[in-house]
Amino acid sequence: MNDNKVLDAESVRQLREAATCFNADWPALKLKLLKDISQKSINKVNVLIDYHDCLLFLLAYPETYELFALTKAELKRVSVVTKALFTEGNERIRHQLSGTGIANTPVHVTFGFELASWLVQRFPQQVSILECAGSKAAVNEIFLLLLPATEREYFERQHETFSQFISRLKGNSELTGLQWLMQFIERAHLQKEVRDYLYDQLKIYITWMTDEESPSRTFARSLHRTPYFHKAGLNKRPDSGSLIGQLIDKPKAISPYEKLLLITATRGILAMLQRETDPATYADVEEMQFFNMGKGIDIVLYPMVEERRLPFDVYIGYTLFKNRLPVAYGGGWIFQQRCKIGVNVLDAYRGGESAYLFLQVLRLFNQYYSIKRFVVEPYQIGFKNTEGLKSGAFWFYYRFGFVPESETLRKIAEEEFNRIKTASSYRTSLKVLKALSVDNMQLTLDSGGYQQLDTSEISKAITGMIGKQYQGDRKKAISEAIKSAYKWLQLDDMEKSKFTANQVIENFALLLQLFPNRNDWDVVEKSALKQLILSKAFGNERDYLALFRKHRKLNETLAICFE
């Protein structure tokens, strides 16, 4: 075959370089390069992967409709070529394509029980057991625990592979091995925590063979919308102060079906990246919110179902879509008016508007959850995270106004930043970046309200209280704390029945044990706290945050306890 008719790495490099340039003659050049490439065959895996990711970037940041349409067509062609390469290629080619997240290729993942169950239910014919990496002793113990006593002696004597083991157990069932295994564990009716732990010990690796309908990196999308065209270029140095303050629109009303589409896209793209986050896995799909942030940006927020919620703070996950493509994900841990925030921009979209996208997340959390202080934890900026160090993540956040909480580190950062501004060639050494990464960074939008306390301090205090007052007897501590809380909150029988075996009342009962001023609370303050606890246990997490924010006595008491 004529080499001029085969796509090479240099052609892709030229297109990728042009993709990040805007205005003047760039749209015509991009279109020419793309048309030229569209006439070439693709037979090298590394070139295909780079071209695939370049096309994703062009779809997220198009300048014209013609360019947008041709890019979509080329992405479809790439998926067809990928399918042919994977099915007709040799073992080396299949290995190179595995784990790329491109449509028509497999990913090999290990997830918790809930997410694995969802995969089996949603894509039953696409997922299968790759291997069981748990120790033989652990696997035997788990199955002997779950099998009827009458079968145990026989299976104790067997020496089979895991695949043979499952095949023998499921007999002539029409279920796949993975379907049968998930059903077998589910029907054991274990406590969820025990079930999840036992499944984790099996270390089941799942192969997900994607196709054109799967939420792969190629085709995962949000809801239909009009594309946004970047005729004025990219905003790479946004003004954080003015942007965060721009009023957001109300969340868009979306149907139950649309919510399922969005959570499928979210879980799918995370699976392609071999990642799992609690808000995505345990999402309260009914409570999902969809926001149009402008310029083709949509953000989906998803709180967690009641039984998976955190004791006092609220963990909200988000996925950010650009022209319907999932380009970033992350989460916020909210307590009072403080939010620990994290963001992960997918590699294919680096070189775009990463700063602008992150500011849209801050803008949304600031206005929708009334956040006054954002906190970035050390790992995000490079602590025990080589990639974060080398990428200069510290300066990414610093330019938004985030500064170290430590005064000493703030001074070091200020001196370093002045060097960067005065000498364009200056680069902060990894040694200095490592020193800067050991502390939280914070962005304070408003110094008012209650925004200083981290829930880890509450956890530490409760542990200390149980050790000191109950000599480490947690059963006694919980029992007496709940009795005391019922009496102090003046719960009636119906309210008590609501809280029976509910973890939330246990959490707040232990918290109340820390309060030195409980006798100072009046009836109205106790009633407001009762409503707050009910909201945490059974209601909407945003409502819970609002009730917490408005409860002056509770916030003042926490300030006294943890000053």
Side-chain angles (χ1 to χ4, degrees), residues 75-89:
L75 192 62
K76 174 64 177 176
R77 181 170 78 101
V78 164
S79 74
V80 173
V81 171
T82 301
K83 185 174 184 178
L85 283 173
F86 189 83
T87 56
E88 300 169 12

Side-chain angles (χ1 to χ4, degrees), residues 176-195:
T176 67
L178 184 57
Q179 286 176 312
W180 182 88
L181 175 63
M182 304 310 290
Q183 186 183 91
F184 174 69
I185 295 173
E186 184 65 59
R187 288 181 175 177
H189 300 297
L190 304 168
Q191 285 187 337
K192 287 185 177 181
E193 293 82 1
V194 174
R195 179 201 66 189

